[in-house]
Amino acid sequence: MERKRNRLEIIHDILGVIKEKQGKIKPTQILYKSNLSHIMMNEYLDELIEKQFIKEEKTKTGKTYLITEKGIRYLDEYKLVTNFIDSFGLNE
Amino acid sequence: MVQLYVVPEWFFGFNIFLELIFFVITILLASFAFRVYRASLQKNLRTFGLVFASIAVSYILLACINLLFLSTFHPATRALSLDEITDLKNVAIGLYVVFFIIGFSGLFHATHKTPTRKMFLLVDIIAFLGVYLSTNKALFLYSMSSIFLAFTVYHYLKQYTKNKNKNELAVLLGMTFLLTSQLGLAAQSVSYHPNLYVVSNILELIGYSCILISLLNILNNGAKKKSA
């Protein structure tokens, strides 16, 4: 059985999925690829928007999410972030 | 005469040099914590950064205090005496105590995820009152930092036992050496044995070296990932 992902891993997975789709994605695609429930996905998306890791765009066909520079930076620094947090026991 | 600590004459100068090294290491750690906070926006990382920034400031203040205010105690030793109090000495020692307490109590809070800022503030107020009201201020100060570090060491021990990660081991060892160093300073404040001061400083150096090794490993692994 797969172990439960922590918060940082889930954020990494969501941002990774958006980046894979050339930085722009619809909510249903995130739902399928991120392996989260609809409620959890919306909670994480709200958090990511608040932290400016992604931005929401409303189009005629619906909502899309775009990854920001901050979001890309998170992906680049992810290994550093997790190693630091694990080494210094700062898991939330 | 009331002394906070006693320094052997031959060690004077080395102690200031070591305090500057400790300042550099703690500022590096604080900077790194802030960098990781900016990338992840995880709040306890900002707290961790502020904690080590506070500890760094306390080391710079201690280096200045040692340079300016130590007086001859016995032949071949110098001491930080509380007998001749000048305004500048008062301010310097007071600030050192403030940043020291915030730093070590903050380390406990950052690693234990204490529920509210009020709890943090309450512990600090009790600590400041304790230093102010106690007759042996150095004993109280270093005993208190030892207690905070003991809890912190226990936290890292639990983490290491669960994950068996090399970096976690380095941090655990580092914190353990810092704890023994604080215990040594507490003992020195009662016995006034100059060698205890030297031993405590060496233990502190070993402690911060272990923490620095862990930090360099993290940086190295991060750099390898980027270039891969």
Side-chain angles (χ1 to χ4, degrees):
Chain A
M1 188 195 252
E2 257 186 52
R3 64 166 181 84
K4 202 175 165 188
R5 292 176 294 176
N6 66 31
R7 193 186 136 269
L8 291 176
E9 283 175 305
I10 293 171
I11 290 171
H12 177 264
D13 289 348
I14 293 172
L15 293 174
V17 158
I18 301 174
K19 194 182 176 192
E20 265 176 38
K21 293 278 179 186
Q22 275 86 51
K24 199 171 179 175
I25 199 169
K26 288 183 182 290
T28 42
Q29 290 169 309
I30 299 177
L31 193 62
Y32 293 137
K33 295 256 184 181
S34 65
N35 206 22
L36 290 169
S37 68
H38 194 264
I39 294 170
M40 287 305 297
M41 183 197 74
N42 284 331
E43 274 182 28
Y44 274 100
L45 289 175
D46 288 342
E47 184 183 341
L48 291 172
I49 291 169
E50 191 190 324
K51 289 184 173 169
Q52 298 177 340
F53 285 175
I54 61 174
K55 50 185 183 190
E56 189 182 88
E57 228 178 45
K58 285 185 175 127
T59 63
K60 284 177 189 171
T61 51
K63 277 190 274 194
T64 52
Y65 295 99
L66 293 92
I67 194 167
T68 62
E69 280 299 314
K70 271 190 180 177
I72 292 170
R73 188 182 170 182
Y74 179 90
L75 289 173
D76 289 341
E77 304 257 83
Y78 176 70
K79 190 77 182 167
L80 214 63
V81 168
T82 50
N83 278 346
F84 186 85
I85 286 171
D86 289 341
S87 301
F88 287 95
L90 299 169
N91 300 298
E92 278 194 332
Chain B
M1 274 177 100
V2 178
Q3 327 301 328
L4 283 185
Y5 49 81
V6 179
V7 184
E9 190 66 43
W10 64 268
F11 196 64
F12 180 71
F14 284 119
N15 63 332
I16 296 169
F17 177 68
L18 284 176
E19 278 140 25
L20 293 174
I21 291 179
F22 301 154
F23 165 73
V24 168
I25 294 173
T26 47
I27 265 294
L28 268 171
L29 191 49
S31 310
F32 201 76
F34 287 131
R35 173 183 167 181
V36 174
Y37 166 69
R38 275 195 305 274
S40 66
L41 296 177
Q42 188 165 300
K43 283 185 184 168
N44 65 341
L45 290 166
R46 184 181 57 187
T47 307
F48 196 75
L50 287 170
V51 158
F52 274 96
S54 185
I55 294 174
V57 169
S58 77
Y59 280 123
I60 268 292
L61 285 165
L62 189 60
C64 294
I65 289 167
N66 282 333
L67 194 60
L68 299 171
F69 298 123
L70 291 190
S71 51
T72 306
F73 182 43
H74 282 318
T77 59
R78 298 189 189 204
L80 182 63
S81 162
L82 295 181
D83 288 345
E84 298 141 16
I85 295 290
T86 64
D87 287 341
L88 187 60
K89 194 175 177 179
N90 245 352
V91 168
I93 293 173
L95 282 174
Y96 165 69
V97 168
V98 164
F99 282 104
F100 184 89
I101 288 173
I102 289 172
F104 283 99
S105 70
L107 183 59
F108 169 79
H109 289 291
T111 51
H112 287 78
K113 302 182 263 289
T114 45
T116 60
R117 282 184 195 172
K118 280 183 187 170
M119 184 72 82
F120 183 22
L121 195 59
L122 176 67
V123 169
D124 281 354
I125 289 170
I126 292 169
F128 292 136
L129 266 176
V131 170
Y132 182 70
L133 296 170
S134 59
T135 47
N136 190 333
K137 297 178 191 313
L139 178 61
F140 185 89
L141 189 68
Y142 296 122
S143 300
M144 192 194 57
S145 62
S146 301
I147 291 167
F148 285 130
L149 276 166
F151 277 92
T152 306
V153 165
Y154 180 63
H155 165 77
Y156 284 119
L157 181 62
K158 278 194 304 180
Q159 291 281 118
Y160 176 67
T161 310
K162 197 168 74 173
N163 303 322
K164 297 273 194 276
N165 177 305
K166 279 183 192 171
N167 281 342
E168 281 175 352
L169 177 62
V171 174
L172 168 63
L173 286 173
M175 293 293 173
T176 307
F177 277 107
L178 290 183
L179 168 61
T180 51
S181 137
Q182 297 301 300
L183 288 170
L185 288 170
Q188 206 253 16
S189 69
V190 174
S191 67
Y192 296 132
H193 202 300
N195 288 342
L196 270 175
Y197 179 85
V198 176
V199 168
S200 296
N201 271 258
I202 291 169
L203 288 169
E204 209 163 354
L205 178 64
I206 298 170
Y208 280 120
S209 300
C210 292
I211 291 170
L212 183 64
I213 286 168
S214 179
L215 192 61
L216 292 173
N217 273 341
I218 293 165
L219 271 167
N220 199 32
N221 286 338
K224 274 182 190 167
K225 165 80 179 172
K226 271 191 184 175
S227 60

